[in-house]
């Protein structure tokens, strides 16, 4: 008997190259999960359209940037099924069917709906597609009959809505097809950017995982430190210093201890402290840069990985959709679809 591994699924919007914040947030978690679960990871390009429908030109480019970055940090196509949402049209059909049973008030009370409309004022988000976004996300998840969904806190309402839709589907159609998916929350501290705010593309404060060495050095050497530490002889406080947040990821316990002591007594300067950090960052990013170069030089191989992922994904969605069409009384008379 083969013991089926629990299935995990997650998606990421194509926002282009990944930065260290993405890597030490969501992606590190994915890398861990692929060792233990049957994982499906996809580029949520249709989701990008819900906010960027007026300017879709970059979505394709961002999709491949992101995929090559995923592979470069170690997402492994032998362990994980990696694909692109818009290649799997079954998502759209399930989205349509779930749309039939999802009450509009469930969507209107979704906190991210109003929040995002407020935040992205330069875009007209009064569309049907934007309102229905969580239904598409529900379809993405349950079409693979996923048990676990690694997401950040901001996505919790969407997972809860997915569970409600699953219950409603089962209640209406009497077939228990889907597991009720659970959010796999991991609390990772958010990595600050070079200006001390949360690392985010929109703040222009990111260090990208495949950024050239000189550029990384330039960014770290000019990064903000403890603002109270103005001169070399002033003591500092690592607990308020963004550079120290990086040391927490990249340096050893002994080094951190040395830095804490040195910083508080003005024994070491920020330049020395940053140089120590850069040695580790270089060591960490060098192999990632090399892999990125390899994949960029061998895009055919990347395409094959994704074609294979699409293939595996489609096998799963076909199985689910057969049960779904049957359940809702929409099985094709020709026996196939
Ligand atoms: N909505 C998610 C985000 O913006 C991306 C996403 C789309 C997703 N479909 C998903 C995440 C399915 C998990 C599962 O980050
Ligand atoms: Fe930050 Fe390091 Fe300077 Fe202390 S010595 S303020 S930890 S950069």
């Amino acid at each position: 008997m083969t013991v089926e591994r629990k299935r995990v699924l997650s998606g990421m919007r194509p926002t282009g190259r990944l930065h260290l914040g993405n890597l030490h947030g969501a992606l590190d978690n994915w890398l861990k999960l692929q060792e233990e679960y049957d994982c499906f990871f996809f580029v949520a390009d249709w989701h990008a359209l819900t906010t960027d429908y007026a300017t879709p030109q970059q979505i394709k480019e961002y999709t491949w940037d992101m995929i090559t970055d995923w592979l470069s940090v170690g997402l492994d196509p032998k362990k994980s099924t990696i694909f692109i949402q818009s290649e799997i049209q079954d998502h759209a059909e399930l989205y349509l069917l779930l749309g039939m049973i999802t009450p509009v008030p469930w969507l209107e009370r979704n906190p991210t709906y109003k929040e995002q409309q407020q935040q992205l004022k330069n875009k007209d988000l009064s569309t049907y597609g934007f309102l229905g976004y969580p239904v598409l996300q529900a379809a993405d998840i349950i079409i693979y009959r996923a048990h676990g969904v690694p997401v950040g806190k901001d996505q919790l309402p969407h997972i809860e809505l997915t569970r409600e839709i699953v219950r409603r589907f089962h209640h209406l159609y009497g077939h228990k097809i889907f597991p009720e998916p659970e959010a796999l929350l991991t609390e990772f501290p958010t990595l600050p950017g070079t200006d001390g705010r949360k690392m985010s593309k929109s703040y222009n404060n990111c260090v990208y995982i495949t950024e050239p060495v000189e550029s990384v050095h330039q960014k770290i050497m000019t990064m903000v430190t403890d603002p109270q530490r103005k001169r070399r002889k002033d003591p500092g406080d690592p607990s308020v210093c963004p550079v120290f947040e990086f040391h927490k990821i990249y340096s050893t316990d002994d080094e951190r201890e040395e830095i804490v002591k040195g910083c508080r007594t003005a024994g070491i300067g920020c330049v020395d402290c940053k140089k120590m950090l850069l040695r580790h960052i270089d060591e960490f990013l060098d192999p990632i840069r090399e892999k990125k170069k390899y994949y960029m030089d061998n895009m055919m191989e990347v395409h094959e990985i994704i074609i294979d992922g699409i293939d595996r994904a489609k096998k799963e969605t076909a199985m689910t959709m057969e049960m779904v069409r049957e359940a809702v009384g929409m099985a094709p008379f020709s026996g196939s679809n």
Side-chain angles (χ1 to χ4, degrees), residues 31-249:
L31 295 176
K32 238 187 283 145
L33 289 165
Q34 75 175 348
E35 301 301 328
E36 242 186 279
Y37 297 93
D38 178 24
C39 286
F40 287 71
F41 297 121
F42 69 97
V43 180
D45 56 347
W46 275 338
H47 284 262
L49 268 188
T50 63
T51 51
D52 299 346
Y53 60 86
T55 52
Q57 294 79 5
Q58 283 177 309
I59 295 176
K60 276 272 176 272
E61 183 192 327
Y62 283 175
T63 295
W64 292 102
D65 283 347
M66 204 162 80
I67 287 171
T68 46
D69 276 4
W70 283 358
L71 296 171
S72 304
V73 299
L75 212 61
D76 183 348
K78 289 194 201 72
K79 297 173 183 156
S80 300
T81 301
I82 307 169
F83 60 98
I84 302 168
Q85 181 187 33
S86 65
E87 297 280 346
I88 321 285
Q89 267 102 61
D90 282 346
H91 287 230
E93 185 183 348
L94 184 57
Y95 166 57
L96 176 143
L97 294 172
L98 297 181
M100 302 301 170
I101 69 168
T102 306
V104 173
W106 288 9
L107 300 173
E108 285 171 334
R109 71 173 188 230
N110 165 26
T112 50
Y113 175 61
K114 291 205 182 82
E115 249 168 55
Q116 291 242 45
Q117 274 190 335
Q118 292 271 313
Q119 267 172 27
L120 308 173
K121 280 227 172 67
N122 54 336
K123 295 172 185 166
D124 178 1
L125 297 182
S126 62
T127 57
Y128 168 62
F130 186 67
L131 178 67
Y133 172 114
V135 184
L136 179 58
Q137 185 164 353
D140 296 339
I141 297 167
I142 69 178
I143 205 163
Y144 298 97
R145 285 162 273 120
H147 304 97
V149 188
V151 284
K153 265 212 299 283
D154 62 308
Q155 297 288 310
L156 284 181
H158 299 169
I159 308 302
E160 194 46 48
L161 190 77
T162 302
R163 295 164 63 88
E164 283 172 316
I165 292 174
V166 165
R167 288 196 286 269
R168 190 162 160 85
F169 185 99
H170 290 159
H171 172 73
L172 285 167
Y173 303 119
H175 294 268
K176 284 221 148 73
I177 298 176
F178 310 109
E180 273 184 42
E182 274 173 54
L184 304 176
L185 258 194
T186 35
E187 294 298 340
F188 25 76
T190 46
L191 195 68
T194 50
D195 59 358
R197 292 187 290 175
K198 176 185 157 140
M199 191 179 286
S200 161
K201 202 174 176 181
S202 53
Y203 292 154
N204 202 7
N205 63 359
C206 299
V207 176
Y208 292 94
I209 62 172
T210 56
E211 192 160 335
V213 182
E214 312 77 58
S215 172
V216 173
H217 281 231
Q218 196 259 330
K219 283 183 179 178
I220 297 293
M221 292 315 288
T222 54
M223 182 168 173
V224 300
T225 61
D226 172 1
Q228 302 293 322
R229 190 170 191 202
K230 295 207 175 64
R231 272 166 293 240
R232 170 67 182 82
K233 63 179 194 317
D234 297 337
D237 179 3
S239 70
V240 299
C241 176
V243 175
F244 194 68
E245 293 304 309
F246 280 68
H247 277 293
K248 285 184 188 166
I249 295 175

